[in-house]
Amino acid sequence: MDFASFIGIISGISLIVAAIFMGGGVDSFINLPGMMIVFGGTLAATLTTFQMKDVFSAIKAAAFVFSEEKKDPNDMVSTMVELCTLTRRQGIVALSKLDVESDFLRKACNLIADGTKEDLMRDTLNIEIESMKQRHYIIQDIFKKMALYAPSFGMMGTLIGLIQMLNQMSNPETVGPAMAVALLTTFYGMLLSTLLFNPIAGKLRARTLLEVISLEIVFEGAISILQDNNPLMVYEKLSSYIPAKLRRPMQQRMMTGRNIG
Amino acid sequence: MDFASFIGIISGISLIVAAIFMGGGVDSFINLPGMMIVFGGTLAATLTTFQMKDVFSAIKAAAFVFSEEKKDPNDMVSTMVELCTLTRRQGIVALSKLDVESDFLRKACNLIADGTKEDLMRDTLNIEIESMKQRHYIIQDIFKKMALYAPSFGMMGTLIGLIQMLNQMSNPETVGPAMAVALLTTFYGMLLSTLLFNPIAGKLRARTLLEVISLEIVFEGAISILQDNNPLMVYEKLSSYIPAKLRRPMQQRMMTGRNIG
Amino acid sequence: MDFASFIGIISGISLIVAAIFMGGGVDSFINLPGMMIVFGGTLAATLTTFQMKDVFSAIKAAAFVFSEEKKDPNDMVSTMVELCTLTRRQGIVALSKLDVESDFLRKACNLIADGTKEDLMRDTLNIEIESMKQRHYIIQDIFKKMALYAPSFGMMGTLIGLIQMLNQMSNPETVGPAMAVALLTTFYGMLLSTLLFNPIAGKLRARTLLEVISLEIVFEGAISILQDNNPLMVYEKLSSYIPAKLRRPMQQRMMTGRNIG
Amino acid sequence: MDFASFIGIISGISLIVAAIFMGGGVDSFINLPGMMIVFGGTLAATLTTFQMKDVFSAIKAAAFVFSEEKKDPNDMVSTMVELCTLTRRQGIVALSKLDVESDFLRKACNLIADGTKEDLMRDTLNIEIESMKQRHYIIQDIFKKMALYAPSFGMMGTLIGLIQMLNQMSNPETVGPAMAVALLTTFYGMLLSTLLFNPIAGKLRARTLLEVISLEIVFEGAISILQDNNPLMVYEKLSSYIPAKLRRPMQQRMMTGRNIG
Amino acid sequence: MDFASFIGIISGISLIVAAIFMGGGVDSFINLPGMMIVFGGTLAATLTTFQMKDVFSAIKAAAFVFSEEKKDPNDMVSTMVELCTLTRRQGIVALSKLDVESDFLRKACNLIADGTKEDLMRDTLNIEIESMKQRHYIIQDIFKKMALYAPSFGMMGTLIGLIQMLNQMSNPETVGPAMAVALLTTFYGMLLSTLLFNPIAGKLRARTLLEVISLEIVFEGAISILQDNNPLMVYEKLSSYIPAKLRRPMQQRMMTGRNIG
């Protein structure tokens, strides 16, 4: 569970609900047709804007964003340094027998073991990273667009309410409550945009940045192994991705390449 | 038929119409002069902004966007791997006899068969891709600008209505309905922008991204054929454009180059 | 005459005027002081923002934008292919005797005829293209800034009117008309921005894109001539700038280089 | 004196003042506390945003922007061509004895005379240009941020006025004038932003563009001198920075290198 | 203590408080539930958007931004020139014994002393600089997002207040004060955004720019040392990062490399 997101969403909704309760009943803030216009309209415009499979991926990603998944870049640095040590001892063919979890790392290992030339390997791995970035970007973009559409549908709901109210202004006593109902959709739109869609887009971007760093460590490490750099240099280069304070010192263990597999 | 767009447009309009019906008659939401200002004005400003042939292309593209056209990048990867196998067996001249559908692929094949140097081929194919991107971008830009112009004309319509109402404020009873009419154009402008123009621009961008990936697979594949890389390497490189889960494994069939033409 | 711009401007203004007439007299929409604030203020802020000579260039460019000037990139491609054929037959010195209209093409021809090295020629022609782009960009920027300033001055006019009205609210009957007058400047500002300044900026950008393509065809063609590529390859490379459907096939005539001069 | 800025500021203020006078006294538009909130608040937020020395530089630059300083790029082109002629006759050491005004040109001359390698010279001069650009960009950014802060403080002033008015609504007669006073700060904020801060940021950008062209002419000229290009080629390359119509033809005088020093 | 920020924040708050006192009591501007919605909501949305450790870093950075920390780039230039002199006299191994404060400079020295190749050193130091930039950018982004969220929650608070007021409009006398309270949250949101979050984001960016210049001086200096450039050239290159007026002349002392350690 991503603790920050959990606290953020819960406390944000609590604050809004508390503010509503302090000023009177919560009844006047619930309006089903208004919710349908804002939420349904946003979803409708989003489906029109994107491809259906991307919208499904986005919904899955939104659920995923709140599940904590610790990925310490230090681990990836250690792994690459160990792989470097391993190849220096047992040759590059050793990489083809390894059982690694990450698709990207496995591809890099196979390419090295197959004796791929540096240029081709750079191209291949770069295409992987860029394609991944672009796919993630589309998912973030879906939530960014939803954050734009929601307030628009909120305002459209308010306009519909106002126009209906102005046409039936015979009874001045109903003007207040009618206008209150009209304003509700604007409120819904802003709430969805500010407390849900924008934050999800932001969190997804943070995830992408982390994942890209991880892939770049593999990329630069693989190039270094191909160039037969020594493990110390590989460690110096790859640890540069990590802030100095959080860097794990190079362990002797790494130099002997024992804990892979 | 693009299913997502279809559902999106239909459900979006249904939601708005339902909301209008629930609050009274639909009559007070139909105002022909208002529609003319918003839709006509948007079209007028768009014609002034762009070249007429680009506007026509945009209208055609908008119709096209809702017709499903499945292009699986996996097919293009298979094709390029097969072409690679073919040239290894029969020489690059074999490419000149192939009957391929895509203009871009045919051009790439001809260039290889003519023995073009790598630099010149990179330049030529890059110009194709960049020119295509720019043309598509202009079409998307037309809908983005329409999404900006529509709310502006909506607000201008409202201002015209308000000014006329304020000048004839002798009868207070007509103020409400007059203002309702004035607000209608703002509603039209937002509806067009949020439910039509913005989503079309987004869907066109998604199409362009897909098409660019397809062209890049051809581009990188053609370069690899020219460099005489082996089919396995070509497969590894080109399949990087596709997310790992959706990648089709390299088929034996590809290696024998049987199903082209 | 650029037909799209003509239709756009005329129909846009007609729509607005028609909407005004339908709701009453046109008198209440004409207010000289309001026009002065919006148009004069926008011009004043623009003069402060840019250099006077750039503002004059912008005014000239705005007039120019509505005059049709057909430049088919196919012509430029043909010309470059013919020049290539010519130099293959008569040597590069032949280029110095040609009488060409375009400044940029003449410069490219002279540089080739003078035996300039490829690097220096790339630098020289690139500087031409980039400088041209930057100058055009400044002109477009002037209209983009005017499109921002006009609504601001419109709102300032409305604020002045509102403040004066609120200070003299002794007679409630004059409130309506006074507010109508105040709103007029907001209307003027939006009209100028949406129907004039923004579209002109857009049309100028479209012109620049077309002109840049033309210059890039000359640039790439000149490099190819210097590299002594054969005319067929030059045609393949340069025609990539043009969408496949609009490409003119390579004519035999081009290969013989007869119609230059 | 920069004539355009002078006319712009004077006429802009005149228009606003005239519009105020036409609608009544100017008294109701002067409100010292309101001015303090908008101008003082903008300055306070700007000081918090930037470093104090940068704010001082910005104030100096704002004064400087209205003083005309004619820098014709043609002069710089002539100078570089003459320097090229000079080095061809007297050797690169001749450059070290020249007495040139511009810091950047002097540095370039010294680097050439010291026999610096091309790579190092490119790096050194590029760092100069990029650092200059960044410093200028910060100054422009200060005025852009002021143009954002001023309307925000204007709206805050209006909100303060409205809240105070709404709490003391016992006497309905004072509502009008109180609201007029509240709206004043919004007016001040827009006026400062639209007529002062935004135009100054724009004018500073125009200055930077001009100065960068001048530095780039020196940069490209110095590289050409180092590469021992002939003066005619240097002229062709450097004059590309200037629009064809404004280009001064290469003078014989330049070829003999007489008027330096 | 950063003097500009101190003056800015204090004078900004003073101006607002003074304006409030001049128009009546300060009581009507304090509303605890409103503050909770705006400040708490902004914090909640921020926690949902970013990773918790980044939010903590941002809070630390905000405190840090007001503490003056003089870093004169001239010092870094002097240090690099001295290191260059030192290596010329005592060889590159001398760098490994130095006791330097900056992590980045120490890493550069160690890499040189270890005889790292130029390519690998460029890659390693570039990764450091880019990673640092990205981390700083995320911190700035947190305050930029807070500056966007705060006015949104302000408007949501106002909408909640308006809706409650419109539903209880039985007593017209309470309308004024109720609306005043509703507007308060909009005021809070703008105040936080304009006087706190935006300026902090700006100040952090200014800090990053300064720090990047410092790292780039080390980077370029280290490359020069590796290329065995002479100290004078190194001084010429590195001093280009500093505006000509502020440049400290190269001291004789530097040439002898006495004051390191």
Side-chain angles (χ1 to χ4, degrees), chain C residues 118-135:
Chain C
E118 191 181 324
D119 273 6
L120 186 57
M121 201 167 88
R122 271 182 195 277
D123 284 355
T124 305
L125 297 184
N126 255 331
I127 291 170
E128 284 274 355
I129 296 179
E130 290 307 316
S131 301
M132 186 278 263
K133 272 192 204 166
Q134 199 185 58
R135 283 191 303 269

Side-chain angles (χ1 to χ4, degrees), chain E residues 132-188:
Chain E
M132 184 277 261
K133 272 192 204 167
Q134 198 186 59
R135 284 191 303 269
H136 282 219
Y137 174 75
I138 290 172
I139 303 296
Q140 292 162 35
D141 196 38
I142 289 176
F143 287 100
K144 275 191 219 151
K145 283 277 172 22
M146 289 177 103
L148 282 178
Y149 289 155
S152 290
F153 279 99
M155 276 190 66
M156 274 192 263
T158 298
L159 282 170
I160 292 176
L162 282 180
I163 291 169
Q164 287 169 341
M165 184 197 80
L166 288 165
N167 275 317
Q168 299 155 356
M169 235 166 50
S170 48
N171 185 1
E173 282 195 4
T174 62
V175 167
M179 204 162 158
V181 170
L183 285 180
L184 264 183
T185 53
T186 294
F187 173 68
Y188 293 156

Side-chain angles (χ1 to χ4, degrees), chain E residues 240-261:
Chain E
S240 299
Y241 281 108
I242 303 168
K245 281 177 217 157
L246 301 180
R247 249 167 240 172
R248 195 188 294 159
M250 186 168 173
Q251 298 149 327
Q252 191 52 39
R253 188 171 55 76
M254 288 190 202
M255 300 293 292
T256 58
R258 270 181 307 199
N259 69 339
I260 302 170

Side-chain angles (χ1 to χ4, degrees), chain B residues 70-211:
Chain B
K70 272 251 175 297
K71 257 193 188 172
D72 187 349
N74 272 309
D75 292 340
M76 198 48 96
V77 172
S78 305
T79 304
M80 295 315 294
V81 174
E82 288 169 33
L83 290 181
C84 179
T85 313
L86 187 75
T87 53
R88 290 212 139 199
R89 294 178 175 237
Q90 307 179 20
I92 55 171
V93 185
L95 292 181
S96 67
K97 299 167 205 156
L98 289 175
D99 178 31
V100 289
E101 202 185 344
S102 144
D103 284 342
F104 187 71
L105 179 53
R106 191 166 349 100
K107 183 157 198 170
C109 286
N110 288 339
L111 287 170
I112 299 172
D114 290 356
T116 314
K117 276 182 223 146
E118 190 181 324
D119 272 6
L120 187 58
M121 201 166 90
R122 271 182 196 278
D123 284 355
T124 305
L125 297 184
N126 256 332
I127 292 171
E128 285 272 356
I129 295 179
E130 290 307 315
S131 300
M132 186 277 262
K133 271 192 204 166
Q134 199 186 57
R135 284 192 303 269
H136 282 218
Y137 174 74
I138 290 172
I139 304 296
Q140 292 162 35
D141 197 37
I142 289 176
F143 287 101
K144 276 191 218 151
K145 282 276 168 26
M146 289 178 103
L148 282 178
Y149 288 155
S152 290
F153 279 98
M155 275 190 67
M156 273 191 265
T158 298
L159 281 169
I160 293 176
L162 282 180
I163 291 169
Q164 287 170 340
M165 183 197 81
L166 288 164
N167 276 316
Q168 300 154 354
M169 234 166 52
S170 48
N171 184 0
E173 284 195 3
T174 61
V175 166
M179 203 160 158
V181 170
L183 285 180
L184 264 183
T185 53
T186 295
F187 174 68
Y188 293 155
M190 292 196 68
L191 192 65
L192 280 176
S193 172
T194 312
L195 206 51
L196 201 65
F197 298 141
N198 260 326
I200 289 177
K203 188 73 105 192
L204 288 171
R205 201 177 65 127
R207 288 281 158 118
T208 302
L209 287 178
L210 260 188
E211 199 161 337

Side-chain angles (χ1 to χ4, degrees), chain C residues 191-206:
Chain C
L191 193 65
L192 279 176
S193 173
T194 313
L195 205 51
L196 201 65
F197 298 140
N198 260 326
I200 289 178
K203 188 72 105 192
L204 288 171
R205 201 177 65 127

Side-chain angles (χ1 to χ4, degrees), chain A residues 174-192:
Chain A
T174 62
V175 167
M179 204 161 159
V181 170
L183 285 180
L184 264 183
T185 54
T186 295
F187 174 68
Y188 292 155
M190 292 195 68
L191 192 65
L192 280 177

Side-chain angles (χ1 to χ4, degrees), chain D residues 9-217:
Chain D
I9 292 260
I10 297 295
S11 62
I13 292 175
S14 308
L15 274 165
I16 298 291
V17 170
I20 288 172
F21 264 108
M22 281 171 70
V26 82
D27 286 6
S28 50
F29 282 86
I30 291 173
N31 179 280
L32 210 69
M35 285 178 183
M36 272 175 59
I37 288 182
V38 176
F39 202 87
T42 302
L43 209 67
T46 306
L47 277 172
T48 319
T49 310
F50 295 94
Q51 297 194 291
M52 194 168 279
K53 72 175 175 49
D54 290 334
V55 177
F56 283 133
S57 303
I59 292 167
K60 250 186 282 176
F64 179 75
V65 92
F66 297 120
S67 67
E68 181 91 346
E69 185 204 7
K70 272 250 174 300
K71 256 192 187 172
D72 187 349
N74 272 309
D75 291 340
M76 199 48 98
V77 172
S78 305
T79 304
M80 294 315 294
V81 174
E82 289 172 31
L83 290 180
C84 178
T85 313
L86 187 75
T87 52
R88 289 213 140 198
R89 294 177 175 238
Q90 307 181 18
I92 54 171
V93 185
L95 292 181
S96 66
K97 298 167 203 155
L98 288 175
D99 177 33
V100 289
E101 205 184 341
S102 143
D103 285 341
F104 187 71
L105 179 53
R106 190 164 349 99
K107 183 157 198 172
C109 286
N110 287 340
L111 286 171
I112 299 173
D114 290 357
T116 315
K117 277 182 222 145
E118 192 182 323
D119 274 6
L120 187 58
M121 202 168 88
R122 271 182 196 277
D123 285 354
T124 305
L125 297 183
N126 256 331
I127 292 171
E128 285 272 354
I129 296 179
E130 290 307 315
S131 302
M132 185 277 262
K133 271 193 205 165
Q134 198 186 59
R135 284 191 303 270
H136 282 218
Y137 174 74
I138 290 172
I139 304 296
Q140 292 162 34
D141 197 37
I142 288 176
F143 287 101
K144 276 191 219 151
K145 282 276 170 25
M146 289 178 103
L148 282 178
Y149 289 155
S152 290
F153 279 99
M155 276 190 67
M156 274 192 263
T158 298
L159 282 170
I160 292 176
L162 282 180
I163 290 169
Q164 287 169 342
M165 184 198 79
L166 288 165
N167 276 317
Q168 300 156 354
M169 235 166 51
S170 48
N171 184 1
E173 283 196 5
T174 61
V175 167
M179 205 161 157
V181 170
L183 285 181
L184 265 182
T185 54
T186 294
F187 173 69
Y188 293 156
M190 292 196 68
L191 193 65
L192 280 177
S193 173
T194 312
L195 206 51
L196 201 65
F197 298 141
N198 261 326
I200 288 178
K203 188 73 105 194
L204 287 172
R205 202 177 64 126
R207 288 281 158 119
T208 302
L209 288 178
L210 260 188
E211 199 162 335
V212 167
I213 286 176
S214 180
L215 298 194
E216 282 182 357
I217 290 173

